[in-house]
Amino acid sequence: MTVSKLSELEMQVLGVVWLDGPCTAYHVRELFRKSPSPRYSGSAGAIYPLFRRLEQAGYVISKVGRQGKRSKREFRLTRRGMTTFKKWLREVPDIEAAVIHDPLRSRVRFLAALPADQARDVIDEALRKVRAKLPDYVVSPDRKQGSDQPFLDLAVRNAVLVTKARIRWLEEVQRKLAKR
Amino acid sequence: MTVSKLSELEMQVLGVVWLDGPCTAYHVRELFRKSPSPRYSGSAGAIYPLFRRLEQAGYVISKVGRQGKRSKREFRLTRRGMTTFKKWLREVPDIEAAVIHDPLRSRVRFLAALPADQARDVIDEALRKVRAKLPDYVVSPDRKQGSDQPFLDLAVRNAVLVTKARIRWLEEVQRKLAKR
DNA sequence: CCGCTCATGTAACTGGTTACATGATTTA
DNA sequence: TAAATCATGTAACCAGTTACATGAGCGG
């Protein structure tokens, strides 16, 4: 019934529920919390009311399941939920193709405010930190072979390529700073 | 006096005021509005109250200036504002080094939900749109030569490198989809 | 039995956006 | 003189986060 547009987070949740089958709000929440690209915190205050809204609007349905003696509410997509989700997938808005936000870029823009040595320190540390993030994404080849989730692999591949680009960029910045 | 931490937007505003010298809230607002990487909308409802807070806390001061017959309130950094801004520049938080959010990545992760032909269409369109954004950033060489803003150039360079990485990634996705 | 993870929830807050409103000045 | 731009502002809203709270079951 409700035709009100769903938020980005709500769409991500629909996607996870679709992928991970009947699952709890808690499961989805933990996925966001543990995600290495921290777009959403997975805060309870966001997730639980969100699932209630989604169910009331008919995008998901739940039933109380059991795992051992512990009870939990498990959600899955309705046909309506799946339709809405697929529609969202097909419509790529302009803003997603726009230049994505890189907080390091917005800092470097102002780096002339610092004396040369301090600027160098900032970039050195940033580079060290970004490099430290990379190995997490280079999945071990054996695990990658058996993967039956080609699109998850492609998502990881995005993280790798973009992170490498950021590293190369920071190295350029480093070289420019050295020549002063 | 107020030691309360400033938001990311507030820091960006301090940066612009530092770079563009005495300038109006309107000027800052327009910069955000016209920015090709739309992190902030530059909404009046954000900017004007923000400048009042910054002035009250002593980070900026303003005086009413004149340009022709039109009066306008121009802001510049205080010493305190500059100190705070430089401190922010020196402290790169972990989160800025983390994997940055790419909305196209979060879509592709779920792309198995679409039939192959529709998935191809989505990627084709995304690629077309991202490619269309690139030329804006390849600054004309003559303008770049005379540039006395090396850090602005580096910021643009970030946009170019990361956008190119996204394009190469989308091309990979395209190839994977073709092989099915 | 103590601490950890699973599981669910709410209240207060925050950092913005949207939409609206006003008026002066400049440009076509 | 009409339309666009400069310039400033407010009220209502929104999508999230933070912090807090509770309780059950599980492993050492």
Side-chain angles (χ1 to χ4, degrees):
Chain A
M1 323 294 140
T2 320
V3 207
S4 65
K5 264 179 78 180
L6 297 183
S7 72
E8 184 73 16
L9 174 57
E10 283 166 330
M11 285 302 183
Q12 295 292 315
V13 167
L14 287 187
V16 171
V17 172
W18 167 69
L19 269 181
D20 292 3
C23 65
T24 64
Y26 177 78
H27 169 78
V28 177
R29 171 170 149 59
E30 288 303 286
L31 277 189
F32 285 117
R33 282 211 321 107
K34 293 170 188 163
S35 166
S37 65
R39 173 75 210 268
Y40 300 109
S41 72
S43 52
I47 297 296
Y48 289 100
L50 181 149
F51 266 99
R52 261 199 308 275
R53 287 198 306 275
L54 286 182
E55 181 155 36
Q56 244 157 20
Y59 296 108
V60 298
I61 49 168
S62 70
K63 55 179 166 185
V64 176
R66 296 215 156 260
Q67 182 191 347
K69 289 191 173 178
R70 183 178 282 162
S71 86
K72 52 183 181 181
R73 180 167 296 271
E74 292 191 308
F75 294 86
R76 62 176 184 79
L77 288 196
T78 61
R79 219 180 316 172
R80 176 172 155 72
M82 191 62 194
T83 306
T84 304
F85 179 64
K86 285 201 259 187
K87 194 180 165 194
W88 172 78
L89 269 181
R90 284 192 304 262
E91 289 164 5
V92 176
D94 282 13
I95 197 169
E96 301 198 355
V99 176
I100 57 187
H101 171 65
D102 185 339
L104 290 178
R105 176 179 66 225
S106 18
R107 272 168 197 270
V108 164
R109 186 181 158 203
F110 301 124
L111 215 57
L114 293 183
D117 56 330
Q118 289 184 16
R120 269 191 282 272
D121 289 348
V122 169
I123 297 303
D124 289 354
E125 197 194 328
L127 197 41
R128 193 180 54 72
K129 282 182 174 172
V130 177
R131 280 188 180 133
K133 297 287 171 190
L134 195 55
D136 307 350
Y137 297 94
V138 184
V139 192
S140 56
D142 49 330
R143 194 204 162 303
K144 207 177 177 182
Q145 287 286 0
S147 176
D148 55 341
Q149 288 200 304
F151 291 103
L152 180 58
D153 290 349
L154 282 171
V156 173
R157 183 76 182 137
N158 168 289
V160 171
L161 286 177
V162 171
T163 301
K164 281 185 175 172
R166 289 179 92 203
I167 290 175
R168 281 196 302 273
W169 170 69
L170 282 170
E171 287 165 350
E172 276 191 25
V173 177
Q174 217 173 34
R175 282 195 296 275
K176 278 248 171 125
L177 286 174
K179 280 192 288 185
R180 319 199 111 206
Chain B
M1 325 290 140
T2 320
V3 206
S4 64
K5 265 180 78 180
L6 298 183
S7 72
E8 184 74 15
L9 174 58
E10 284 167 329
M11 285 302 182
Q12 296 291 315
V13 166
L14 288 186
V16 172
V17 172
W18 167 68
L19 269 181
D20 292 4
C23 66
T24 65
Y26 178 78
H27 169 78
V28 176
R29 171 169 148 61
E30 288 302 287
L31 278 189
F32 285 115
R33 282 208 327 104
K34 292 171 189 165
S35 166
S37 65
R39 173 74 210 267
Y40 300 110
S41 73
S43 51
I47 297 297
Y48 289 102
L50 182 149
F51 266 100
R52 262 199 307 275
R53 287 197 305 274
L54 286 182
E55 181 154 36
Q56 246 158 16
Y59 296 107
V60 298
I61 48 170
S62 71
K63 54 180 168 186
V64 176
R66 297 216 155 260
Q67 181 192 347
K69 289 190 172 176
R70 181 179 283 162
S71 86
K72 52 183 181 180
R73 179 168 296 272
E74 292 190 308
F75 294 87
R76 61 176 185 79
L77 288 195
T78 61
R79 220 180 314 172
R80 174 173 157 73
M82 191 60 193
T83 306
T84 304
F85 180 64
K86 285 201 257 187
K87 193 180 164 194
W88 172 79
L89 269 181
R90 284 191 303 261
E91 290 165 4
V92 176
D94 281 13
I95 198 168
E96 300 198 358
V99 176
I100 57 188
H101 171 66
D102 185 338
L104 290 178
R105 177 179 65 222
S106 19
R107 272 168 196 272
V108 164
R109 186 180 157 205
F110 301 123
L111 216 57
L114 294 183
D117 58 329
Q118 289 185 17
R120 271 191 283 271
D121 288 350
V122 168
I123 298 303
D124 289 355
E125 198 195 327
L127 197 41
R128 193 180 53 71
K129 282 182 174 172
V130 177
R131 279 189 179 129
K133 297 287 171 188
L134 195 55
D136 308 349
Y137 297 93
V138 185
V139 192
S140 56
D142 49 329
R143 195 203 161 304
K144 206 177 177 181
Q145 286 286 0
S147 175
D148 55 343
Q149 288 201 304
F151 290 102
L152 181 58
D153 289 349
L154 282 171
V156 173
R157 183 75 181 137
N158 168 288
V160 172
L161 286 177
V162 171
T163 301
K164 281 184 174 173
R166 289 179 92 203
I167 291 175
R168 280 196 302 274
W169 170 69
L170 282 170
E171 287 166 349
E172 277 190 24
V173 177
Q174 217 172 34
R175 282 195 295 275
K176 276 249 170 125
L177 287 174
K179 281 192 287 183
R180 317 200 110 211

PDB file of all heavy atoms in Angstrom, chain B residues 152-173:
ATOM      1  N   LEU B 152      44.679  21.952  -4.668  1.00  0.00           N
ATOM      2  CA  LEU B 152      43.407  21.801  -5.380  1.00  0.00           C
ATOM      3  C   LEU B 152      43.599  20.843  -6.548  1.00  0.00           C
ATOM      4  O   LEU B 152      42.778  19.957  -6.791  1.00  0.00           O
ATOM      5  CB  LEU B 152      42.908  23.162  -5.876  1.00  0.00           C
ATOM      6  CG  LEU B 152      41.580  23.133  -6.622  1.00  0.00           C
ATOM      7  CD1 LEU B 152      40.471  22.533  -5.755  1.00  0.00           C
ATOM      8  CD2 LEU B 152      41.175  24.526  -7.085  1.00  0.00           C
ATOM      9  N   ASP B 153      44.712  20.999  -7.258  1.00  0.00           N
ATOM     10  CA  ASP B 153      45.018  20.090  -8.358  1.00  0.00           C
ATOM     11  C   ASP B 153      45.091  18.648  -7.863  1.00  0.00           C
ATOM     12  O   ASP B 153      44.607  17.727  -8.515  1.00  0.00           O
ATOM     13  CB  ASP B 153      46.355  20.473  -9.001  1.00  0.00           C
ATOM     14  CG  ASP B 153      46.244  21.772  -9.788  1.00  0.00           C
ATOM     15  OD1 ASP B 153      45.104  22.231  -9.987  1.00  0.00           O
ATOM     16  OD2 ASP B 153      47.279  22.305 -10.192  1.00  0.00           O
ATOM     17  N   LEU B 154      45.690  18.458  -6.697  1.00  0.00           N
ATOM     18  CA  LEU B 154      45.816  17.110  -6.155  1.00  0.00           C
ATOM     19  C   LEU B 154      44.452  16.541  -5.790  1.00  0.00           C
ATOM     20  O   LEU B 154      44.202  15.347  -5.962  1.00  0.00           O
ATOM     21  CB  LEU B 154      46.741  17.114  -4.932  1.00  0.00           C
ATOM     22  CG  LEU B 154      48.240  17.178  -5.245  1.00  0.00           C
ATOM     23  CD1 LEU B 154      49.053  17.408  -3.984  1.00  0.00           C
ATOM     24  CD2 LEU B 154      48.686  15.891  -5.933  1.00  0.00           C
ATOM     25  N   ALA B 155      43.587  17.396  -5.300  1.00  0.00           N
ATOM     26  CA  ALA B 155      42.234  16.947  -4.974  1.00  0.00           C
ATOM     27  C   ALA B 155      41.516  16.494  -6.248  1.00  0.00           C
ATOM     28  O   ALA B 155      40.878  15.441  -6.279  1.00  0.00           O
ATOM     29  CB  ALA B 155      41.453  18.057  -4.283  1.00  0.00           C
ATOM     30  N   VAL B 156      41.668  17.285  -7.310  1.00  0.00           N
ATOM     31  CA  VAL B 156      41.069  16.919  -8.594  1.00  0.00           C
ATOM     32  C   VAL B 156      41.660  15.601  -9.081  1.00  0.00           C
ATOM     33  O   VAL B 156      40.947  14.734  -9.589  1.00  0.00           O
ATOM     34  CB  VAL B 156      41.296  18.036  -9.636  1.00  0.00           C
ATOM     35  CG1 VAL B 156      40.832  17.583 -11.012  1.00  0.00           C
ATOM     36  CG2 VAL B 156      40.571  19.304  -9.222  1.00  0.00           C
ATOM     37  N   ARG B 157      42.963  15.477  -8.878  1.00  0.00           N
ATOM     38  CA  ARG B 157      43.660  14.251  -9.280  1.00  0.00           C
ATOM     39  C   ARG B 157      43.064  13.025  -8.587  1.00  0.00           C
ATOM     40  O   ARG B 157      42.937  11.961  -9.174  1.00  0.00           O
ATOM     41  CB  ARG B 157      45.139  14.409  -8.935  1.00  0.00           C
ATOM     42  CG  ARG B 157      46.012  13.278  -9.351  1.00  0.00           C
ATOM     43  CD  ARG B 157      46.280  13.268 -10.840  1.00  0.00           C
ATOM     44  NE  ARG B 157      47.115  12.118 -11.196  1.00  0.00           N
ATOM     45  CZ  ARG B 157      46.911  11.352 -12.258  1.00  0.00           C
ATOM     46  NH1 ARG B 157      45.931  11.632 -13.098  1.00  0.00           N
ATOM     47  NH2 ARG B 157      47.683  10.328 -12.501  1.00  0.00           N
ATOM     48  N   ASN B 158      42.708  13.187  -7.332  1.00  0.00           N
ATOM     49  CA  ASN B 158      42.045  12.094  -6.596  1.00  0.00           C
ATOM     50  C   ASN B 158      40.750  11.695  -7.301  1.00  0.00           C
ATOM     51  O   ASN B 158      40.515  10.509  -7.552  1.00  0.00           O
ATOM     52  CB  ASN B 158      41.754  12.537  -5.155  1.00  0.00           C
ATOM     53  CG  ASN B 158      40.825  11.580  -4.416  1.00  0.00           C
ATOM     54  OD1 ASN B 158      39.636  11.510  -4.697  1.00  0.00           O
ATOM     55  ND2 ASN B 158      41.380  10.827  -3.466  1.00  0.00           N
ATOM     56  N   ALA B 159      39.949  12.698  -7.638  1.00  0.00           N
ATOM     57  CA  ALA B 159      38.680  12.417  -8.306  1.00  0.00           C
ATOM     58  C   ALA B 159      38.911  11.658  -9.604  1.00  0.00           C
ATOM     59  O   ALA B 159      38.193  10.701  -9.916  1.00  0.00           O
ATOM     60  CB  ALA B 159      37.934  13.721  -8.579  1.00  0.00           C
ATOM     61  N   VAL B 160      39.940  12.064 -10.365  1.00  0.00           N
ATOM     62  CA  VAL B 160      40.236  11.414 -11.645  1.00  0.00           C
ATOM     63  C   VAL B 160      40.635   9.956 -11.425  1.00  0.00           C
ATOM     64  O   VAL B 160      40.076   9.040 -12.030  1.00  0.00           O
ATOM     65  CB  VAL B 160      41.345  12.166 -12.400  1.00  0.00           C
ATOM     66  CG1 VAL B 160      41.784  11.377 -13.624  1.00  0.00           C
ATOM     67  CG2 VAL B 160      40.868  13.555 -12.809  1.00  0.00           C
ATOM     68  N   LEU B 161      41.589   9.740 -10.529  1.00  0.00           N
ATOM     69  CA  LEU B 161      42.103   8.381 -10.318  1.00  0.00           C
ATOM     70  C   LEU B 161      41.014   7.446  -9.807  1.00  0.00           C
ATOM     71  O   LEU B 161      40.865   6.321 -10.284  1.00  0.00           O
ATOM     72  CB  LEU B 161      43.283   8.407  -9.340  1.00  0.00           C
ATOM     73  CG  LEU B 161      44.601   8.954  -9.885  1.00  0.00           C
ATOM     74  CD1 LEU B 161      45.670   8.991  -8.801  1.00  0.00           C
ATOM     75  CD2 LEU B 161      45.080   8.102 -11.066  1.00  0.00           C
ATOM     76  N   VAL B 162      40.253   7.907  -8.818  1.00  0.00           N
ATOM     77  CA  VAL B 162      39.222   7.046  -8.243  1.00  0.00           C
ATOM     78  C   VAL B 162      38.111   6.788  -9.266  1.00  0.00           C
ATOM     79  O   VAL B 162      37.624   5.659  -9.384  1.00  0.00           O
ATOM     80  CB  VAL B 162      38.653   7.657  -6.940  1.00  0.00           C
ATOM     81  CG1 VAL B 162      37.443   6.884  -6.464  1.00  0.00           C
ATOM     82  CG2 VAL B 162      39.727   7.672  -5.857  1.00  0.00           C
ATOM     83  N   THR B 163      37.753   7.811 -10.023  1.00  0.00           N
ATOM     84  CA  THR B 163      36.717   7.611 -11.043  1.00  0.00           C
ATOM     85  C   THR B 163      37.187   6.625 -12.108  1.00  0.00           C
ATOM     86  O   THR B 163      36.428   5.749 -12.535  1.00  0.00           O
ATOM     87  CB  THR B 163      36.338   8.955 -11.694  1.00  0.00           C
ATOM     88  OG1 THR B 163      35.859   9.845 -10.679  1.00  0.00           O
ATOM     89  CG2 THR B 163      35.241   8.764 -12.729  1.00  0.00           C
ATOM     90  N   LYS B 164      38.443   6.744 -12.519  1.00  0.00           N
ATOM     91  CA  LYS B 164      38.983   5.794 -13.502  1.00  0.00           C
ATOM     92  C   LYS B 164      38.962   4.374 -12.947  1.00  0.00           C
ATOM     93  O   LYS B 164      38.670   3.419 -13.668  1.00  0.00           O
ATOM     94  CB  LYS B 164      40.405   6.193 -13.901  1.00  0.00           C
ATOM     95  CG  LYS B 164      40.450   7.328 -14.908  1.00  0.00           C
ATOM     96  CD  LYS B 164      41.877   7.616 -15.356  1.00  0.00           C
ATOM     97  CE  LYS B 164      41.883   8.658 -16.472  1.00  0.00           C
ATOM     98  NZ  LYS B 164      43.269   9.082 -16.823  1.00  0.00           N
ATOM     99  N   ALA B 165      39.283   4.240 -11.672  1.00  0.00           N
ATOM    100  CA  ALA B 165      39.251   2.908 -11.041  1.00  0.00           C
ATOM    101  C   ALA B 165      37.833   2.347 -11.079  1.00  0.00           C
ATOM    102  O   ALA B 165      37.625   1.161 -11.355  1.00  0.00           O
ATOM    103  CB  ALA B 165      39.751   2.991  -9.601  1.00  0.00           C
ATOM    104  N   ARG B 166      36.855   3.205 -10.824  1.00  0.00           N
ATOM    105  CA  ARG B 166      35.460   2.753 -10.874  1.00  0.00           C
ATOM    106  C   ARG B 166      35.087   2.318 -12.284  1.00  0.00           C
ATOM    107  O   ARG B 166      34.356   1.341 -12.478  1.00  0.00           O
ATOM    108  CB  ARG B 166      34.518   3.872 -10.433  1.00  0.00           C
ATOM    109  CG  ARG B 166      34.579   4.181  -8.959  1.00  0.00           C
ATOM    110  CD  ARG B 166      33.633   5.302  -8.639  1.00  0.00           C
ATOM    111  NE  ARG B 166      32.314   4.857  -8.237  1.00  0.00           N
ATOM    112  CZ  ARG B 166      31.214   5.602  -8.323  1.00  0.00           C
ATOM    113  NH1 ARG B 166      31.277   6.811  -8.865  1.00  0.00           N
ATOM    114  NH2 ARG B 166      30.063   5.146  -7.916  1.00  0.00           N
ATOM    115  N   ILE B 167      35.573   3.054 -13.274  1.00  0.00           N
ATOM    116  CA  ILE B 167      35.273   2.706 -14.661  1.00  0.00           C
ATOM    117  C   ILE B 167      35.865   1.346 -15.007  1.00  0.00           C
ATOM    118  O   ILE B 167      35.192   0.477 -15.563  1.00  0.00           O
ATOM    119  CB  ILE B 167      35.794   3.800 -15.623  1.00  0.00           C
ATOM    120  CG1 ILE B 167      34.958   5.085 -15.453  1.00  0.00           C
ATOM    121  CG2 ILE B 167      35.752   3.312 -17.072  1.00  0.00           C
ATOM    122  CD1 ILE B 167      35.449   6.262 -16.254  1.00  0.00           C
ATOM    123  N   ARG B 168      37.137   1.157 -14.641  1.00  0.00           N
ATOM    124  CA  ARG B 168      37.774  -0.135 -14.928  1.00  0.00           C
ATOM    125  C   ARG B 168      37.036  -1.266 -14.221  1.00  0.00           C
ATOM    126  O   ARG B 168      36.859  -2.355 -14.778  1.00  0.00           O
ATOM    127  CB  ARG B 168      39.250  -0.101 -14.501  1.00  0.00           C
ATOM    128  CG  ARG B 168      40.141   0.583 -15.519  1.00  0.00           C
ATOM    129  CD  ARG B 168      41.605   0.243 -15.264  1.00  0.00           C
ATOM    130  NE  ARG B 168      42.005   0.629 -13.912  1.00  0.00           N
ATOM    131  CZ  ARG B 168      42.439   1.841 -13.561  1.00  0.00           C
ATOM    132  NH1 ARG B 168      42.537   2.779 -14.485  1.00  0.00           N
ATOM    133  NH2 ARG B 168      42.774   2.106 -12.327  1.00  0.00           N
ATOM    134  N   TRP B 169      36.581  -0.989 -13.023  1.00  0.00           N
ATOM    135  CA  TRP B 169      35.821  -2.007 -12.278  1.00  0.00           C
ATOM    136  C   TRP B 169      34.516  -2.343 -13.000  1.00  0.00           C
ATOM    137  O   TRP B 169      34.185  -3.525 -13.188  1.00  0.00           O
ATOM    138  CB  TRP B 169      35.543  -1.517 -10.856  1.00  0.00           C
ATOM    139  CG  TRP B 169      34.581  -2.374 -10.105  1.00  0.00           C
ATOM    140  CD1 TRP B 169      34.806  -3.644  -9.652  1.00  0.00           C
ATOM    141  CD2 TRP B 169      33.248  -2.039  -9.734  1.00  0.00           C
ATOM    142  NE1 TRP B 169      33.689  -4.112  -9.009  1.00  0.00           N
ATOM    143  CE2 TRP B 169      32.715  -3.144  -9.040  1.00  0.00           C
ATOM    144  CE3 TRP B 169      32.451  -0.905  -9.894  1.00  0.00           C
ATOM    145  CZ2 TRP B 169      31.415  -3.157  -8.526  1.00  0.00           C
ATOM    146  CZ3 TRP B 169      31.174  -0.906  -9.374  1.00  0.00           C
ATOM    147  CH2 TRP B 169      30.668  -2.028  -8.705  1.00  0.00           C
ATOM    148  N   LEU B 170      33.796  -1.308 -13.430  1.00  0.00           N
ATOM    149  CA  LEU B 170      32.534  -1.552 -14.134  1.00  0.00           C
ATOM    150  C   LEU B 170      32.769  -2.332 -15.423  1.00  0.00           C
ATOM    151  O   LEU B 170      31.942  -3.162 -15.815  1.00  0.00           O
ATOM    152  CB  LEU B 170      31.833  -0.225 -14.430  1.00  0.00           C
ATOM    153  CG  LEU B 170      31.096   0.415 -13.251  1.00  0.00           C
ATOM    154  CD1 LEU B 170      30.638   1.836 -13.591  1.00  0.00           C
ATOM    155  CD2 LEU B 170      29.884  -0.436 -12.845  1.00  0.00           C
ATOM    156  N   GLU B 171      33.914  -2.071 -16.071  1.00  0.00           N
ATOM    157  CA  GLU B 171      34.236  -2.826 -17.279  1.00  0.00           C
ATOM    158  C   GLU B 171      34.480  -4.299 -16.955  1.00  0.00           C
ATOM    159  O   GLU B 171      34.068  -5.182 -17.719  1.00  0.00           O
ATOM    160  CB  GLU B 171      35.455  -2.207 -17.980  1.00  0.00           C
ATOM    161  CG  GLU B 171      35.124  -0.888 -18.673  1.00  0.00           C
ATOM    162  CD  GLU B 171      36.351  -0.085 -19.074  1.00  0.00           C
ATOM    163  OE1 GLU B 171      37.481  -0.444 -18.629  1.00  0.00           O
ATOM    164  OE2 GLU B 171      36.201   0.904 -19.814  1.00  0.00           O
ATOM    165  N   GLU B 172      35.111  -4.545 -15.836  1.00  0.00           N
ATOM    166  CA  GLU B 172      35.279  -5.932 -15.380  1.00  0.00           C
ATOM    167  C   GLU B 172      33.919  -6.597 -15.162  1.00  0.00           C
ATOM    168  O   GLU B 172      33.690  -7.740 -15.578  1.00  0.00           O
ATOM    169  CB  GLU B 172      36.069  -5.983 -14.062  1.00  0.00           C
ATOM    170  CG  GLU B 172      37.574  -5.934 -14.246  1.00  0.00           C
ATOM    171  CD  GLU B 172      38.309  -6.240 -12.932  1.00  0.00           C
ATOM    172  OE1 GLU B 172      37.729  -6.911 -12.059  1.00  0.00           O
ATOM    173  OE2 GLU B 172      39.466  -5.788 -12.789  1.00  0.00           O
ATOM    174  N   VAL B 173      33.040  -5.868 -14.490  1.00  0.00           N
ATOM    175  CA  VAL B 173      31.699  -6.395 -14.234  1.00  0.00           C
ATOM    176  C   VAL B 173      31.025  -6.729 -15.566  1.00  0.00           C
ATOM    177  O   VAL B 173      30.426  -7.800 -15.730  1.00  0.00           O
ATOM    178  CB  VAL B 173      30.849  -5.383 -13.438  1.00  0.00           C
ATOM    179  CG1 VAL B 173      29.431  -5.909 -13.253  1.00  0.00           C
ATOM    180  CG2 VAL B 173      31.479  -5.087 -12.079  1.00  0.00           C
TER     181      VAL B 173
END
